[in-house]
Amino acid sequence: MKEKNNIKDAFNKSLKGFLSMLPMLLAILLLLGIFDVYITKDILLSFFISNNFVDTITGTLLGGVLTGNPMISYILGGELTDAGVSLYAVTAFILSWVTIGLVQLPAEVEVFGLRFTFYRTLFTFITTILVSLATVLTVNWILS
């Protein structure tokens, strides 16, 4: 009998937490939808300057700000690669698109706290750059 009460209490707490976060989640979904519609390939291309290091940081920043679905990131990555953007920038863009997510930071702060969110975002940003560089160097080494 005590187990049923614990499960019921846990469910009620979870439901209250979800309902309190629902407006924030809806705002995040709305912003993501707006980004997907209004940020075109040509707009993204205008940010890259053909410098591998600068483009890696630019790709990380753009992907982190624009945040989206992994499936869309692969399509965008392919389009950017076809348009001549370096593999460094495209790899950084795809990684940060999926992992950083500045749009969802307010919700993350509410759930995990400001300190955790800050450090997670900072380490993810740094790691994204390092993994992007390592990935491209590895691909170039394998292909050579």
Side-chain angles (χ1 to χ4, degrees):
M1 189 68 157
K2 188 175 180 181
E3 257 183 58
K4 283 186 179 182
N5 286 339
N6 287 342
I7 292 172
K8 198 176 204 181
D9 289 342
F11 176 78
N12 286 334
K13 286 180 183 178
S14 298
L15 184 61
K16 285 179 186 178
F18 174 74
L19 291 175
S20 71
M21 288 179 45
L22 195 57
M24 181 94 51
L25 293 173
L26 292 175
I28 290 169
L29 290 174
L30 178 65
L31 283 173
L32 291 175
I34 290 171
F35 281 143
D36 282 345
V37 170
Y38 292 108
I39 304 298
T40 65
K41 179 182 76 168
D42 294 331
I43 292 171
L44 288 175
L45 282 173
S46 69
F47 289 101
F48 298 102
I49 62 169
S50 298
N51 177 314
N52 288 339
F53 184 71
V54 174
D55 283 354
T56 300
I57 293 173
T58 303
T60 302
L61 290 171
L62 281 175
V65 170
L66 298 177
T67 305
N69 181 319
M71 292 299 289
I72 294 171
S73 72
Y74 299 130
I75 295 167
L76 273 174
E79 293 292 323
L80 291 172
T81 302
D82 290 345
V85 175
S86 73
L87 193 54
Y88 291 97
V90 173
T91 305
F93 178 83
I94 290 172
L95 284 171
S96 64
W97 173 277
V98 176
T99 59
I100 294 178
L102 293 180
V103 173
Q104 59 214 21
L105 284 182
E108 191 173 335
V109 168
E110 187 173 317
V111 174
F112 297 114
L114 180 62
R115 186 172 183 211
F116 174 85
T117 302
F118 172 77
Y119 283 114
R120 187 212 56 89
T121 305
L122 176 66
F123 291 136
T124 303
F125 181 81
I126 293 167
T127 304
T128 296
I129 292 170
L130 295 175
V131 168
S132 298
L133 295 172
T135 300
V136 175
L137 291 173
T138 303
V139 167
N140 288 339
W141 177 70
I142 290 171
L143 296 178
S144 63

